[in-house]
Amino acid sequence: EPEVIAPEVDEEAVAAVLPPGDPAALVQALACAKAEEVLPRLAGRRGLVLACDSMFVLDGEVLGKPLRPEIAVARWRAMRGRTGVLVTGHRLVDHRTGAPGERVDAVASAEVTFAEPTDREIDAYIATGEPLHVAGAFTLEGRAAPFISRVVGDPHAVVGLSIASLRLLAGRLGIGWDELAG
C-alpha cells in the first residue's frame, strides 16, 4: 500500500541553482530533491520511493502554485482560450533492501488548451480554493475539468503522476507493471 510522506524542500533554493528557462530541468530537479529529502526518514522501511513535481508553462513563463486568490484569478484570465504545457518530473528510487539503491528519472508533459470561462465562473472556481496549491492553478481531475477543452500528450502528466512514465521507470529497475499493479 502506498504511504504518503510530505517532503520538506525549499523549491526556490533548488530553482536558484538552475539555469532559467528549462522547465523540464526544473521539475526534474525538484522531483529528485523531494525523493532525496524523504529517503533518510525511511528507517526500517522497504519499497519504492516515488517523487514528482509539476509546473505549467504559458508563453515561456513557468507557473507554479499561485497560493493567493488574486494570483489565481489573474492566471485564469490570462489562460482562458489559450494553450500551455504542463510538465511533470519523476524520480523513482529502489529502496526494496531498506537502503537507497538505483534511481531512475523521467519527465512527461502535455499541452493543455483552456475553454473560455466567464469572469463569474473563474471567480467561483478560485473561491473553492482548489487552484491555490496546484501547478498552473488548475486540476484536470477536479473542478477545472469543464474549463479544459483539450489535452494533447500524457494526460496523467497533467494530474501530476504519469502512469506511463511510472511503468517505464519501474521496468528500468527490473520491476514489471504487473508486480506494481497486481
Side-chain angles (χ1 to χ4, degrees):
E1 288 297 312
E3 177 182 355
V4 176
I5 301 172
E8 298 175 15
V9 171
D10 182 345
E11 294 186 12
E12 290 181 14
V14 172
V17 300
L18 295 173
D22 189 348
L26 176 59
V27 294
Q28 192 57 58
L30 289 168
C32 292
K34 289 176 177 184
E36 298 304 318
E37 193 283 327
V38 167
L39 287 170
R41 298 194 264 152
L42 299 179
R45 294 183 227 170
R46 299 171 186 268
L48 299 172
V49 175
L50 174 65
C52 301
D53 194 84
S54 299
M55 296 283 171
F56 186 66
V57 182
L58 184 68
D59 294 336
E61 182 181 358
V62 176
L63 305 173
K65 301 168 186 165
L67 302 177
R68 297 194 328 256
E70 61 274 14
I71 294 172
V73 167
R75 282 195 192 163
W76 264 95
R77 290 184 177 158
M79 295 185 312
R80 65 179 155 198
R82 302 187 59 216
T83 300
V85 178
L86 197 299
V87 184
T88 298
H90 306 74
R91 168 156 279 188
L92 185 63
V93 181
D94 190 343
H95 199 270
R96 292 176 289 171
T97 65
E102 187 175 356
R103 293 150 168 88
V104 290
D105 303 325
V107 175
S109 64
E111 289 184 356
V112 179
T113 300
F114 297 93
E116 298 199 28
T118 65
D119 286 350
R120 179 178 167 179
E121 289 171 321
I122 290 171
D123 291 344
Y125 175 54
I126 304 307
T128 69
E130 179 182 88
L132 300 182
H133 302 285
V134 293
F138 70 93
T139 59
L140 179 65
E141 73 283 12
R143 293 181 168 142
F147 309 129
I148 297 172
S149 59
R150 184 174 184 197
V151 174
V152 177
D154 185 338
H156 291 106
V158 181
V159 176
L161 166 57
S162 165
I163 303 301
S165 292
L166 176 58
R167 180 182 151 269
L168 294 174
L169 292 174
R172 288 173 46 199
L173 294 178
I175 302 166
W177 183 249
D178 57 309
E179 296 174 71
L180 287 180

